[in-house]
Amino acid sequence: MPQEAVFLPDGSTFWANLDPTDVTTLEECETVLEKVSLLQFVRDRGGLDSPMSAGAMSAEQKQLMSLGRALLRCRERTKKLLGVGSSRVEGGILLLDEVSSSVDHETECIMQDTIRAEFESCTVVAVSHRIDMIMDFDRVVVIDKGEVVEAGNPMVLAAQEGSKFRESNAASMKK
Protein backbone atom coordinates (compact mmCIF):
# COMPACT_ATOMS: atom_id res chain seq x y z
CA MET A 1 0.00 0.00 0.00
CA PRO A 2 1.47 3.33 -1.00
CA GLN A 3 1.35 6.52 1.05
CA GLU A 4 -0.94 8.07 -1.55
CA ALA A 5 -3.72 5.72 -2.68
CA VAL A 6 -3.95 5.14 -6.42
CA PHE A 7 -7.24 4.79 -8.29
CA LEU A 8 -8.56 4.23 -11.79
CA PRO A 9 -9.83 7.29 -13.69
CA ASP A 10 -12.95 9.06 -12.38
CA GLY A 11 -16.08 7.31 -13.54
CA SER A 12 -14.66 3.84 -12.96
CA THR A 13 -16.81 1.91 -10.53
CA PHE A 14 -16.10 1.29 -6.88
CA TRP A 15 -15.90 -2.39 -7.78
CA ALA A 16 -13.27 -1.83 -10.50
CA ASN A 17 -11.20 0.24 -8.09
CA LEU A 18 -11.46 -2.38 -5.37
CA ASP A 19 -10.86 -5.30 -7.74
CA PRO A 20 -9.06 -4.04 -10.88
CA THR A 21 -8.42 -7.62 -12.06
CA ASP A 22 -12.16 -8.45 -11.94
CA VAL A 23 -11.81 -11.82 -10.24
CA THR A 24 -14.02 -11.46 -7.15
CA THR A 25 -17.71 -11.62 -6.42
CA LEU A 26 -20.03 -8.93 -5.13
CA GLU A 27 -20.21 -10.71 -1.78
CA GLU A 28 -16.41 -10.88 -1.44
CA CYS A 29 -16.11 -7.17 -2.20
CA GLU A 30 -18.84 -6.24 0.26
CA THR A 31 -17.26 -8.38 2.98
CA VAL A 32 -13.93 -6.60 2.51
CA LEU A 33 -15.60 -3.18 2.46
CA GLU A 34 -17.31 -4.04 5.72
CA LYS A 35 -13.96 -5.07 7.25
CA VAL A 36 -12.47 -1.66 6.41
CA SER A 37 -15.61 0.25 7.47
CA LEU A 38 -16.49 1.50 3.96
CA LEU A 39 -19.52 -0.62 3.05
CA GLN A 40 -22.11 1.94 4.10
CA PHE A 41 -20.16 4.74 2.39
CA VAL A 42 -20.20 2.81 -0.90
CA ARG A 43 -23.87 1.85 -0.52
CA ASP A 44 -24.78 5.50 0.14
CA ARG A 45 -23.24 6.34 -3.24
CA GLY A 46 -25.18 3.70 -5.16
CA GLY A 47 -23.20 0.54 -4.49
CA LEU A 48 -20.24 -1.20 -6.04
CA ASP A 49 -21.43 -0.73 -9.62
CA SER A 50 -21.66 3.05 -9.22
CA PRO A 51 -19.05 5.41 -10.63
CA MET A 52 -16.41 6.62 -8.22
CA SER A 53 -14.44 9.83 -8.06
CA ALA A 54 -11.33 9.69 -5.89
CA GLY A 55 -11.43 13.49 -5.62
CA ALA A 56 -14.74 13.24 -3.75
CA MET A 57 -13.23 10.95 -1.10
CA SER A 58 -11.39 11.97 2.05
CA ALA A 59 -7.78 10.92 2.60
CA GLU A 60 -9.09 8.44 5.17
CA GLN A 61 -11.59 6.87 2.77
CA LYS A 62 -8.91 6.57 0.08
CA GLN A 63 -6.52 4.75 2.42
CA LEU A 64 -9.28 2.44 3.65
CA MET A 65 -10.19 1.63 0.04
CA SER A 66 -6.52 0.91 -0.66
CA LEU A 67 -6.39 -1.38 2.38
CA GLY A 68 -9.56 -3.10 1.17
CA ARG A 69 -7.92 -3.69 -2.23
CA ALA A 70 -4.85 -5.22 -0.55
CA LEU A 71 -7.05 -7.46 1.59
CA LEU A 72 -9.10 -8.58 -1.41
CA ARG A 73 -5.92 -9.37 -3.40
CA CYS A 74 -4.45 -11.39 -0.55
CA ARG A 75 -7.68 -13.33 -0.08
CA GLU A 76 -7.75 -14.11 -3.80
CA ARG A 77 -4.14 -15.25 -3.63
CA THR A 78 -5.00 -17.53 -0.71
CA LYS A 79 -7.98 -18.92 -2.60
CA LYS A 80 -5.76 -19.78 -5.59
CA LEU A 81 -3.09 -21.35 -3.39
CA LEU A 82 -5.52 -23.46 -1.37
CA GLY A 83 -7.84 -24.17 -4.29
CA VAL A 84 -10.92 -23.32 -2.25
CA GLY A 85 -12.92 -20.27 -1.29
CA SER A 86 -11.35 -18.43 1.59
CA SER A 87 -12.34 -15.49 3.73
CA ARG A 88 -8.90 -15.33 5.29
CA VAL A 89 -5.35 -14.58 4.25
CA GLU A 90 -2.62 -17.22 4.45
CA GLY A 91 0.97 -16.06 4.22
CA GLY A 92 2.35 -13.47 1.86
CA ILE A 93 3.93 -10.07 2.29
CA LEU A 94 2.15 -6.79 2.93
CA LEU A 95 4.19 -3.66 2.17
CA LEU A 96 3.04 -0.44 3.84
CA ASP A 97 4.61 2.89 2.95
CA GLU A 98 3.57 5.58 5.44
CA VAL A 99 -0.06 4.49 5.04
CA SER A 100 -1.23 6.32 8.14
CA SER A 101 0.56 9.61 7.50
CA SER A 102 -2.52 11.44 6.20
CA VAL A 103 -5.30 9.83 8.25
CA ASP A 104 -6.95 10.68 11.54
CA HIS A 105 -6.60 8.63 14.72
CA GLU A 106 -9.91 6.79 14.23
CA THR A 107 -8.94 5.65 10.73
CA GLU A 108 -5.47 4.67 11.89
CA CYS A 109 -7.12 2.44 14.52
CA ILE A 110 -9.35 0.81 11.89
CA MET A 111 -6.29 0.22 9.72
CA GLN A 112 -4.26 -1.23 12.60
CA ASP A 113 -7.10 -3.53 13.68
CA THR A 114 -7.63 -4.73 10.11
CA ILE A 115 -3.93 -5.35 9.53
CA ARG A 116 -3.59 -7.23 12.84
CA ALA A 117 -6.66 -9.39 12.27
CA GLU A 118 -6.61 -9.96 8.53
CA PHE A 119 -2.88 -10.14 7.81
CA GLU A 120 -1.90 -12.06 10.93
CA SER A 121 -0.14 -14.81 8.97
CA CYS A 122 1.65 -12.37 6.64
CA THR A 123 5.00 -10.70 6.88
CA VAL A 124 4.26 -6.99 7.21
CA VAL A 125 6.97 -4.56 6.17
CA ALA A 126 6.07 -1.02 7.13
CA VAL A 127 7.71 2.36 6.80
CA SER A 128 6.17 4.55 9.46
CA HIS A 129 6.91 7.63 11.48
CA ARG A 130 3.90 6.91 13.69
CA ILE A 131 5.18 4.73 16.49
CA ASP A 132 1.70 3.43 17.41
CA MET A 133 1.47 1.79 14.00
CA ILE A 134 4.44 -0.49 14.67
CA MET A 135 4.57 -1.08 18.44
CA ASP A 136 3.13 -4.59 18.19
CA PHE A 137 5.42 -5.64 15.34
CA ASP A 138 7.95 -8.39 16.04
CA ARG A 139 10.92 -6.36 14.88
CA VAL A 140 11.74 -2.78 13.94
CA VAL A 141 14.74 -1.37 12.17
CA VAL A 142 15.66 2.22 13.02
CA ILE A 143 17.32 4.13 10.20
CA ASP A 144 19.01 7.48 10.71
CA LYS A 145 20.54 9.39 7.80
CA GLY A 146 20.38 6.28 5.61
CA GLU A 147 22.17 4.04 8.11
CA VAL A 148 20.70 1.24 10.23
CA VAL A 149 21.38 2.34 13.80
CA GLU A 150 19.27 -0.18 15.72
CA ALA A 151 17.09 -3.24 15.29
CA GLY A 152 14.98 -5.34 17.63
CA ASN A 153 11.61 -5.80 19.26
CA PRO A 154 9.90 -2.40 19.57
CA MET A 155 8.70 -3.01 23.14
CA VAL A 156 12.19 -3.96 24.26
CA LEU A 157 13.80 -1.03 22.43
CA ALA A 158 11.21 1.41 23.83
CA ALA A 159 12.17 0.38 27.37
CA GLN A 160 15.92 0.40 26.77
CA GLU A 161 17.94 3.39 28.03
CA GLY A 162 19.91 5.05 25.22
CA SER A 163 17.86 3.42 22.48
CA LYS A 164 17.35 5.48 19.30
CA PHE A 165 13.88 3.94 19.03
CA ARG A 166 13.09 5.09 22.57
CA GLU A 167 14.32 8.60 21.72
CA SER A 168 12.15 8.63 18.58
CA ASN A 169 9.19 7.37 20.58
CA ALA A 170 9.66 10.10 23.21
CA ALA A 171 10.01 12.77 20.50
CA SER A 172 6.83 11.63 18.76
CA MET A 173 4.91 11.68 22.07
CA LYS A 174 5.80 15.36 22.57
CA LYS A 175 4.26 16.35 19.22
Side-chain angles (χ1 to χ4, degrees):
M1 284 181 54
Q3 183 174 0
E4 296 292 326
V6 177
F7 295 99
L8 297 172
D10 284 356
S12 301
T13 65
F14 282 99
W15 195 337
N17 276 284
L18 189 61
D19 176 20
T21 57
D22 194 29
V23 294
T24 58
T25 66
L26 174 73
E27 294 77 23
E28 290 168 325
C29 288
E30 286 183 341
T31 299
V32 163
L33 287 173
E34 189 169 8
K35 292 278 184 197
V36 297
S37 303
L38 281 180
L39 183 57
Q40 193 58 52
F41 170 80
V42 172
R43 284 183 174 161
D44 289 347
R45 279 142 192 83
L48 281 162
D49 287 321
S50 297
M52 185 189 109
S53 170
M57 297 171 71
S58 70
E60 289 82 6
Q61 291 162 334
K62 289 176 186 177
Q63 283 304 85
L64 291 171
M65 185 71 124
S66 188
L67 180 59
R69 185 184 308 133
L71 177 54
L72 198 61
R73 283 182 182 168
C74 285
R75 284 184 175 186
E76 272 306 301
R77 183 186 149 280
T78 299
K79 192 171 21 174
K80 284 181 183 176
L81 287 174
L82 298 179
V84 295
S86 182
S87 62
R88 64 179 205 262
V89 173
E90 290 293 330
I93 298 173
L94 178 65
L95 302 175
L96 306 172
D97 180 18
E98 290 284 357
V99 296
S100 63
S101 65
S102 62
V103 301
D104 60 22
H105 181 70
E106 180 183 344
T107 303
E108 182 179 8
C109 289
I110 292 168
M111 293 174 72
Q112 287 175 345
D113 291 347
T114 302
I115 291 165
R116 282 185 196 111
E118 299 296 326
F119 295 93
E120 182 180 34
S121 69
C122 294
T123 297
V124 178
V125 178
V127 175
S128 180
H129 286 88
R130 288 194 179 178
I131 301 298
D132 289 351
M133 191 78 178
I134 57 171
M135 282 306 290
D136 64 344
F137 280 27
D138 296 327
R139 183 172 177 80
V140 296
V141 177
V142 180
I143 299 173
D144 186 24
K145 298 177 185 155
E147 298 289 324
V148 174
V149 294
E150 193 169 64
N153 180 283
M155 296 299 248
V156 171
L157 293 175
Q160 195 173 55
E161 286 293 328
S163 163
K164 288 284 190 183
F165 184 76
R166 181 179 174 148
E167 289 173 19
S168 296
N169 195 6
S172 72
M173 297 300 248
K174 289 179 184 176
K175 290 182 181 178

